[in-house]
């Protein structure tokens, strides 16, 4: 490809996910459509002292299937999950990395928090055993850019590479920035997404102190995440990773790749309102959605499905609904909008990537996953959230949106070819 070609069409050709609902795209998608819930009682530490005691953990994960055992010991769980998702994406996309121009092969993997488990484990060693017992791999294990670096080293990817950090908007920003880099001519192909593993004591203590997490259904975990339901009382943390292969259409066709859809539009902005709360007017998010549509060259009525941020917090779900109404007008009540966080929990920095994965599959299959646990309608959240059971309809274009602490907004538009 001529790297100076203006705005080449950019497509998605591979999907890798590791979540509480499955370690590959097929099992993840099958369980989403079935309305299965990956949320249960926390097992990664004893949660009995915490007000929130539930999470969506990745069970039965063996990192040695994806990394050398020595590298597993040297890297935090979030990096292990990222490597797994990257290799699942490569497998799904039938990508032979040995045949690539490595200087034009990039990796953009973000994390909202990074190696939280390493941070806590090594701080404990410091306080109990002294500084000489702290691992020399502490710093490279916990920094939030290291997943991008480790995956690139494994694959020999010498193109654009860094880690993005924008809280719960992280992996949406990573995918969007990859789109812009490829349009600009900086790379032909990029692995982009996010990874998170923050089901730890300190993370839970912090979020519980903020009163951001669900506390009312510790004895009934699978009903604890209930986006847009009037009785929602906070988010449920999940862990995992999502990574997609993004490349120019020309590059994809030249290697005979299966093309899922076009990555058509992206926008990012900030509410500039509050460090943890969205602007209740929805104006910042609405501007972001409008700009992603503009970037895609599409009108609002062309969107058939939105994968919502839908965290199951009072403020987010109401604000997101308000913003969608501002942007889509009457069409807001006609399109389908679901929150898969009701099943996966909230993967923080990795949330957007696994939700992009779900939106791609909606376009591919015409099946739309539900928002489970939708039982009590909220008059301030009155759109079609695909309650409790999947539905089927042809979707030519989808949007996925995420909001992050700090006021960060991100929106992506996907379109069938």
């Amino acid at each position: 490809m001529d790297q100076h070609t203006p705005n080449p069409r950019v497509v998605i050709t591979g999907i890798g996910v590791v979540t509480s609902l499955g370690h590959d795209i097929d099992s993840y998608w099958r369980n989403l459509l079935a309305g299965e819930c990956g949320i249960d009682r926390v097992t990664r530490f004893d949660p009995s002292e915490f007000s929130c005691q539930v999470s969506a953990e990745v069970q039965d994960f063996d990192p040695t299937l994806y990394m050398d055992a020595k590298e597993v010991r040297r890297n935090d769980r979030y990096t292990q999950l990222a490597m797994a998702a990257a290799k699942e994406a490569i497998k799904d996309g039938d990508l032979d990395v040995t045949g690539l121009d490595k200087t034009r092969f990039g990796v953009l993997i973000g994390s909202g928090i990074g190696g939280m488990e390493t941070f806590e484990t090594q701080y404990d060693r410091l306080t109990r055993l002294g500084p000489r017992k702290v691992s020399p791999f502490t710093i490279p294990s916990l920094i939030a850019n290291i997943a991008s670096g480790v995956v690139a080293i494994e694959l020999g990817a010498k193109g654009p590479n860094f880690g993005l950090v924008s809280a719960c908007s992280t992996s949406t920003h990573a995918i969007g920035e990859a789109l812009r880099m490829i349009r600009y001519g900086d790379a032909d192909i990029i692995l982009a997404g996010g990874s998170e593993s923050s089901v730890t004591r300190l993370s839970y203590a912090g979020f519980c102190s903020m009163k951001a997490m669900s506390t009312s259904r510790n004895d009934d975990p699978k009903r604890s995440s209930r986006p847009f339901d009037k009785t929602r009382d906070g988010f449920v943390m999940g862990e995992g990773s999502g990574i997609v292969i993004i490349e120019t259409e020309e590059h994809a066709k030249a290697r005979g790749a299966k093309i899922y859809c076009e990555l058509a539009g992206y926008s990012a902005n900030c509410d500039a309102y509050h460090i943890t709360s969205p602007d209740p007017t929805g104006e910042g998010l609405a501007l972001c959605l409008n700009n992603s549509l503009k970037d895609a060259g599409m009108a609002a009525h062309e969107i058939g499905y939105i994968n919502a941020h839908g965290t199951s917090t009072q403020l987010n779900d109401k604000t997101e609904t308000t913003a969608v109404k501002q942007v889509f007008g009457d069409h807001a009540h006609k399109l389908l909008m679901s929150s898969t966080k009701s099943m996966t929990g909230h993967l923080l920095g990795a949330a957007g990537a696994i939700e992009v994965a779900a939106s791609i599959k909606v376009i591919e299959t015409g099946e739309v996953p539900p928002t489970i646990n939708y039982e009590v309608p909220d008059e301030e959240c009155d759109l079609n959230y695909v309650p409790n059971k999947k539905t089927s309809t042809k979707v030519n274009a989808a949007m996925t949106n995420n909001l992050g602490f700090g006021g960060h907004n991100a929106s992506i538009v996907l379109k069938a070819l």
Side-chain angles (χ1 to χ4, degrees), residues 14 36 118 148 226 305 309 345 358:
E36 295 291 337
T118 295
S148 265
R226 41 204 316 108
Y305 170 68
H309 191 53

Side-chain angles (χ1 to χ4, degrees), residues 20 22 29 36 50 54 80 100 121 126 141 145 178 242 266 274 398:
S20 61
W29 181 238
E36 295 291 337
F50 295 79
V54 299
Q80 298 166 12
L100 298 177
T121 300
L126 172 65
S141 291
N145 67 298
Y266 162 64
H274 189 271

Side-chain angles (χ1 to χ4, degrees), residues 97-299:
V97 298
T98 63
L100 298 177
D101 177 351
K102 298 296 183 67
T103 67
R104 297 187 57 74
F105 177 22
V107 179
L108 300 184
I109 301 173
S111 183
I113 297 178
M116 196 65 174
E117 191 170 88
T118 295
F119 182 91
E120 293 186 33
T121 300
Q122 295 304 317
Y123 182 74
D124 178 66
R125 290 180 67 84
L126 172 65
T127 55
R128 287 190 303 105
L129 304 172
R132 293 182 182 274
K133 295 299 183 179
V134 171
S135 168
F137 296 102
T138 297
I139 300 304
S141 291
L142 66 82
I143 51 181
N145 67 298
I146 207 66
S148 265
V150 168
V151 169
I153 290 166
E154 173 76 7
L155 302 177
K158 298 181 179 180
N161 185 287
F162 52 87
L164 293 89
V165 180
S166 54
C168 306
S169 299
T170 294
S171 54
T172 310
H173 283 142
I175 293 169
E177 293 303 316
L179 166 65
R180 289 183 173 175
M181 285 183 168
I182 290 177
R183 282 178 176 171
Y184 192 71
D186 288 340
D188 295 327
I189 183 167
I190 297 177
L191 288 175
S195 187
E196 203 81 79
S197 183
S198 296
V199 182
T200 68
R201 288 173 55 82
L202 183 57
S203 290
Y204 264 60
F207 278 120
C208 287
S209 292
M210 290 173 59
K211 302 188 185 306
M213 301 176 79
S214 175
T215 60
S216 64
R217 293 177 176 83
N218 288 326
D219 59 347
D220 192 7
K222 297 194 183 302
R223 295 180 63 239
S224 56
S225 180
R226 41 204 316 108
F228 305 108
D229 183 276
K230 191 167 187 175
T231 65
R232 65 192 183 275
D233 74 323
F235 81 89
V236 174
M237 192 186 298
E239 64 170 356
S241 181
I243 293 174
V244 292
I245 300 174
I246 303 169
E247 53 190 311
T248 64
E249 182 182 33
E250 180 182 349
H251 190 272
K253 288 182 174 179
R255 70 178 187 87
K258 171 186 174 181
I259 295 175
Y260 277 109
C261 64
E262 180 181 357
L263 178 54
Y266 162 64
S267 179
N269 71 355
C270 185
D271 282 353
Y273 173 76
H274 189 271
I275 58 170
T276 59
S277 297
D279 181 347
T281 68
E283 291 178 0
L285 180 58
L287 177 61
C288 187
L289 307 192
N290 270 321
N291 285 343
S292 66
L293 287 169
K294 182 179 179 181
D295 188 51
M298 298 181 68

Side-chain angles (χ1 to χ4, degrees), residues 320-322 324-325 332-333 335 337 374 381-386:
E320 191 170 6
T321 299
T322 297
V324 168
K325 288 179 180 178
H333 294 275
L335 57 76
M337 178 171 163
Y374 186 83
C381 298
D382 58 351
L383 301 178
N384 184 351
Y385 305 112
V386 194

